[in-house]
Amino acid sequence: MLQTIEDLSIGVWVRESPSIFAYTLVLSLHAIGLAIVLGLNALIALRLLGVAPAIPLSALRSFYGTIWFGFAINAISGGMLFIASATNMGTMSVFWIKMAAVATGMMLSLRLKSKFLDDPTATAGGAVPAGARSMAKWSLAVWFFALIAGRMTGYPELITRWFGI
């Protein structure tokens, strides 16, 4: 099944085309999407941890449209990168660990928004709501882990040597 996915024309184009609009552009878009998603989630988490207290907590809600835009860029470009290397990525444990971390990071992001940023009583007076700091720490940790796991997919031989997976 993975070989069939990898043999799709879009996968062959991304993997084998000499065009700058193939692998180079798709990988660059993936990095841009990651910067948007991870960067804005980190900004929200850091604000909840007390950094830049002059920024009203309610203002952080406006970042979620951009987070979803970055996530869409990542989903599309990541899907194209997966198709181009399905036999490799589909069998790599660290890839699936990364995907689980991304899903967890997005769930935490949505939970932070619904529990602490969408509730006007929770953000009244600019004080960080109870429980927000702990969830913000977890958010930073999960996104850091997703980032590292994602980079590790480029070095499967090291993963096998270090962790045996």
Side-chain angles (χ1 to χ4, degrees):
M1 180 178 77
L2 293 173
Q3 188 63 56
T4 301
I5 292 170
E6 193 170 302
D7 289 340
L8 293 171
S9 59
I10 188 77
V12 172
W13 176 75
V14 169
R15 183 179 59 253
E16 297 178 15
S17 174
S19 171
I20 192 167
F21 296 108
Y23 186 80
T24 302
L25 178 63
V26 173
L27 187 61
S28 296
L29 287 172
H30 201 64
I32 291 166
L34 173 66
I36 292 169
V37 172
L38 197 142
L40 290 177
N41 274 294
L43 182 96
I44 291 166
L46 289 170
R47 172 58 189 95
L48 291 170
L49 289 171
V51 175
I55 298 172
L57 293 175
S58 60
L60 300 177
R61 285 193 305 265
S62 65
F63 291 136
Y64 280 85
T66 307
I67 288 171
W68 281 111
F69 176 71
F71 186 77
I73 291 171
N74 263 30
I76 294 166
S77 61
M80 292 173 75
L81 291 169
F82 179 83
I83 291 168
S85 187
T87 56
N88 185 26
M89 292 293 170
T91 58
M92 193 182 306
S93 299
V94 74
F95 171 78
W96 295 108
I97 292 167
K98 173 196 113 163
M99 294 306 296
V102 169
T104 302
M106 287 304 289
M107 286 188 285
L108 276 169
S109 179
L110 293 174
R111 184 75 175 138
L112 279 168
K113 181 179 183 287
S114 68
K115 189 169 182 176
F116 302 115
L117 303 178
D118 284 344
D119 182 0
T121 60
T123 59
V128 175
R133 289 182 190 275
S134 176
M135 198 177 293
K137 288 176 187 175
W138 277 107
S139 178
L140 284 173
V142 166
W143 283 115
F144 178 77
F145 187 76
L147 176 66
I148 297 303
R151 284 306 308 133
M152 292 172 90
T153 62
Y155 306 96
E157 66 285 347
L158 291 177
I159 301 306
T160 302
R161 189 172 358 147
W162 291 343
F163 303 109
I165 56 174

